[in-house]
Amino acid sequence: MTWLAFRCILGGIFVYAGCEKIGNPEAFADGITAYQVLPLRAVPPIALGLPYFEIVAGGLLITGWQRRASALSIMLLSGIFLLAVGQALARGLNIDCGCFGSDEPSRWKLLIAMGRDALLMAAAFILYRTEEG
Amino acid sequence: MQVRSKLARDLSIVVLLAAISVAAGLAINSLRNRPSPVPQVDRGGLPPVLETGSSGVILSLKEFRALVEGRQGWVVDARPAASYQEGHVPGAVSLPRDDFAARYADVKSKFEEDKSRLIIVYCSGYYCKDSSTVRKNLADLGYTNIFIFKRGWPAWQEAGLPEERTK
């Protein structure tokens, strides 16, 4: 039962994050571009697809179908976000995290986002390890 | 099953899910009434690309300047009215994000003569979002040829290009 609650919280965060981005792909594309990591050509498909991926991965984790794959998806996504935010901070970029839709640029919020991504990644890792597939 | 092969299987499902998500995102976007013109808008995101310019996409400072000086299309300033008054790109029309409806009414008649005329929107630089919002507002009104000059006002100023002021 506690595992179910754990899955619902983690999955819920991702579903929420995806929903916040899905309605405004342009703002999200701006957000991704601001990280200055990806070639610009790669930005549009990611801006359009990533919100769906977040919702699918979070949704699957909640329903419990394919829970190993969904936990792994969330772990990988959190890891990628962690790296993206980390490199932005290291390069001194003052940008909007874009984690949950668009917001004001802030290095403080980026630091918080890094901590949050690390926690999410750890949580997904624990879930992945506890699930027997 | 071996841990490694389990991981490989899980990873392949992850890749499949990601691929389906991207395909769904692209498909749903293209089915929308006005597909998001993300590819054109975001070409200009990074300075190196902006400087070299690319494949006819209007976004480098050089290209933007040529369009402004050639009076080709409307140049729209999406910053607040006060910033516009202090200085703006010559010939730019002020359509502040927060006062869009009221200010649009002033220019409506001349803008509506040709909804496919080129419109370039700028705001206060690379990280500002006002241009995107105004671009969306204009697209919703049926304008079809809208671009964003991502580097915006700071790039214009830094280049020491002529400024226009309103009293």
Side-chain angles (χ1 to χ4, degrees), chain A:
Chain A
M1 205 53 211
T2 44
W3 285 118
L4 177 65
F6 195 47
R7 272 175 23 222
C8 284
I9 293 168
L10 189 58
I13 291 171
F14 271 75
V15 172
Y16 170 72
C19 290
E20 287 293 302
K21 294 170 192 131
I22 212 159
N24 197 347
E26 282 169 39
F28 186 41
D30 271 358
I32 300 172
T33 317
Y35 280 93
Q36 303 184 16
V37 175
L38 291 168
L40 293 167
R41 212 174 273 272
V43 171
I46 291 176
L48 292 168
L50 185 60
Y52 288 90
F53 188 35
E54 289 183 316
I55 292 170
V56 167
L60 286 181
L61 195 69
I62 294 171
T63 60
W65 188 66
Q66 293 293 349
R67 57 180 83 163
R68 279 173 63 87
S70 54
L72 188 61
S73 299
I74 285 177
M75 191 173 107
L76 291 173
L77 281 175
S78 305
I80 292 166
F81 298 159
L82 184 68
L83 288 176
V85 176
Q87 68 84 31
L89 278 170
R91 287 162 69 195
L93 301 179
N94 181 21
I95 59 173
D96 162 23
C97 169
C99 311
F100 300 96
S102 56
D103 194 5
E104 294 302 311
S106 154
R107 286 178 65 79
W108 260 115
K109 285 185 189 165
L110 284 183
L111 267 176
I112 295 168
M114 253 186 105
R116 189 177 53 221
D117 288 335
L119 276 177
L120 290 172
M121 200 177 154
F125 179 72
I126 293 168
L127 268 181
Y128 181 70
R129 290 303 299 266
T130 44
E131 291 298 338
E132 292 297 324

Side-chain angles (χ1 to χ4, degrees), chain A residues 24-27 29-30 33-34 36 38 40-41 43-45 47-49 52-53 56 60 66 68-69 72-73 76 93-96 102-103 105 128 132-133, chain B residues 1 6-7 9-11 13-14 17-18 21-22 24-26 28-29 32 36-39 41-47 49 126-129 132 135-136 150:
Chain A
N24 197 347
E26 282 169 39
D30 271 358
T33 317
Q36 303 184 16
L38 291 168
L40 293 167
R41 212 174 273 272
V43 171
L48 292 168
Y52 288 90
F53 188 35
V56 167
L60 286 181
Q66 293 293 349
R68 279 173 63 87
L72 188 61
S73 299
L76 291 173
L93 301 179
N94 181 21
I95 59 173
D96 162 23
S102 56
D103 194 5
Y128 181 70
E132 292 297 324
Chain B
M1 228 194 299
K6 265 202 235 176
L7 182 65
R9 191 200 58 190
D10 294 335
L11 270 176
I13 299 173
V14 170
L17 288 176
S21 303
V22 171
L26 292 172
I28 292 170
N29 184 56
R32 278 168 57 190
S36 168
V38 169
V41 173
D42 283 278
R43 270 299 176 81
L46 301 181
V49 177
Y126 184 64
Y127 298 116
C128 84
K129 305 238 167 72
S132 296
R135 195 211 67 79
K136 192 174 182 303
K150 279 298 266 186

Side-chain angles (χ1 to χ4, degrees), chain B residues 64-86:
Chain B
F64 177 65
R65 187 183 168 186
L67 290 165
V68 169
E69 289 171 353
R71 302 270 159 175
Q72 296 171 45
W74 302 113
V75 178
V76 169
D77 188 318
R79 297 173 304 152
S83 309
Y84 175 85
Q85 279 162 13
E86 279 169 26

